[in-house]
Amino acid sequence: MLKKSVIIVFFSVLLFGIVRANATEEIQKLRILAQNGNVEAQFILGGRYYSGYGVDQSYAEAVKWVRLASGQGFAKAQYNLGSMYFKGQGVNQNYAEAAILYRLAAEQGMAEAQYNLGVLYATGKGVVQNFAEAVTWYHLAADQGDIQAQYNLGVAYDTGKGVLQDLAEAVKWYRLAADQGHVMAQNNLGVMNAKGYGIAQNYTESAQWFRLAATQGNVKSQLSIGRMYEKGYGVGKNITEAVKWYRLAADQGNVIAQNKIGELLDKRER
């Protein structure tokens, strides 16, 4: 019943400048600066076209200005242009081009680009699939505190994909992500503590992580904390509390939880 999560998520939120008041006047000033080669103005103007703030929304126009900033080596522009190629916004979707641009930004130390490049290597999009290369980029992003990279690195060490399996190292990275509120890392850390994988078995610690993830709506953790209350593992045995958590999981369509509720309520009536 204790199940770990192994989902790899692609991060592609574009990073543009801060929106200010008096948009029309700002756009005029930005355009003059951008036309004169100011890299930050090119980048921000691209963002205005991307969002439609102060101008008619246009991905193609956004690409035009972001490409100019990217060509000057501006890491955020390289990252954003890569994301637009990945999504096919204003350009034909092209994973290989996205990978090239992410690499340019990643080599300048941009954590989001390092993470995304790692995902491309893990999934084989735009590059030849290479789990070891994915781990290399995850490490660089994770060392900068990137929560999703920390989680993916935990999964890599947990499963032995791209790196020698090391459950203690998996626990380390799961914990870093879990401490930042990553729900799947919290769930996985609950599993590691419950089973004694990479860490001394500790049901109390396990219950704490499951509860945190369950509170965020993670169905696996809701099921697991329900079981712990049912059996008294790491918490005082409490059938009412068990039913509460099983019900939350059941409401999300979990069949095991639905059956558990029926089973526990039947026992109460006997």
Side-chain angles (χ1 to χ4, degrees):
M1 191 178 293
L2 303 182
K3 296 182 179 179
K4 285 181 280 190
S5 302
V6 292
I7 297 171
I8 293 176
V9 178
F10 188 85
F11 180 84
S12 59
V13 175
L14 273 67
L15 307 173
F16 283 115
I18 299 169
V19 174
R20 295 184 177 86
N22 201 347
T24 302
E25 182 181 341
E26 182 197 22
I27 293 298
Q28 292 172 347
K29 291 179 179 178
L30 282 172
R31 192 180 302 279
I32 292 170
L33 289 170
Q35 289 170 342
N36 287 325
N38 184 288
V39 66
E40 290 187 1
Q42 292 168 345
F43 172 72
I44 295 171
L45 187 57
R48 298 298 181 264
Y49 277 107
Y50 185 86
S51 65
Y53 178 77
V55 294
D56 291 334
Q57 197 276 339
S58 171
Y59 288 141
E61 196 69 12
V63 166
K64 167 188 167 182
W65 292 107
V66 174
R67 191 186 302 281
L68 288 171
S70 173
Q72 294 197 62
F74 197 64
K76 289 182 180 179
Q78 292 165 342
Y79 167 81
N80 282 4
L81 189 57
S83 292
M84 294 182 82
Y85 270 106
F86 184 88
K87 295 178 177 181
Q89 293 176 324
V91 290
N92 291 327
Q93 189 176 54
N94 189 325
Y95 294 139
E97 190 68 21
I100 290 169
L101 288 158
Y102 283 145
R103 184 180 295 276
L104 288 172
E107 288 174 347
Q108 293 192 63
M110 189 175 180
E112 295 89 348
Q114 291 167 344
Y115 169 74
N116 278 5
L117 188 57
V119 172
L120 291 182
Y121 274 108
T123 57
K125 288 184 175 180
V127 293
V128 177
Q129 190 175 50
N130 186 325
F131 291 115
E133 189 73 11
V135 167
T136 296
W137 290 108
Y138 289 156
H139 256 296
L140 290 170
D143 285 340
Q144 295 190 65
D146 186 280
I147 183 174
Q148 193 62 41
Q150 291 169 344
Y151 168 73
N152 281 14
L153 203 49
V155 171
Y157 279 107
D158 194 354
T159 59
K161 276 194 172 182
V163 67
L164 289 176
Q165 188 179 45
D166 185 334
L167 298 182
E169 194 70 9
V171 167
K172 166 190 166 181
W173 291 108
Y174 282 149
R175 187 179 298 278
L176 287 169
D179 284 341
Q180 292 195 65
H182 194 291
V183 64
M184 290 184 289
Q186 291 170 345
N187 175 76
N188 288 7
L189 201 51
V191 174
M192 304 294 269
N193 275 279
K195 295 192 173 182
Y197 291 163
I199 193 170
Q201 188 178 56
N202 187 326
Y203 286 130
T204 301
E205 186 83 5
S206 175
Q208 290 171 355
W209 288 113
F210 281 140
R211 189 180 292 104
L212 285 172
T215 301
Q216 293 193 64
N218 184 277
V219 67
K220 292 178 181 178
S221 287
Q222 290 169 345
L223 189 62
S224 294
I225 192 65
R227 182 170 183 268
M228 297 186 87
Y229 274 110
E230 179 190 354
K231 302 296 184 181
Y233 296 152
V235 292
K237 185 173 181 178
N238 187 325
I239 300 303
T240 300
E241 195 70 11
V243 170
K244 165 192 161 182
W245 290 108
Y246 282 146
R247 195 177 299 282
L248 288 170
D251 287 344
Q252 295 194 61
N254 187 279
V255 176
I256 296 173
Q258 291 167 354
N259 292 335
K260 272 291 183 182
I261 292 170
E263 176 188 319
L264 292 177
L265 292 179
D266 283 345
K267 286 181 180 178
R268 274 185 177 180
E269 292 174 2
R270 291 175 190 171

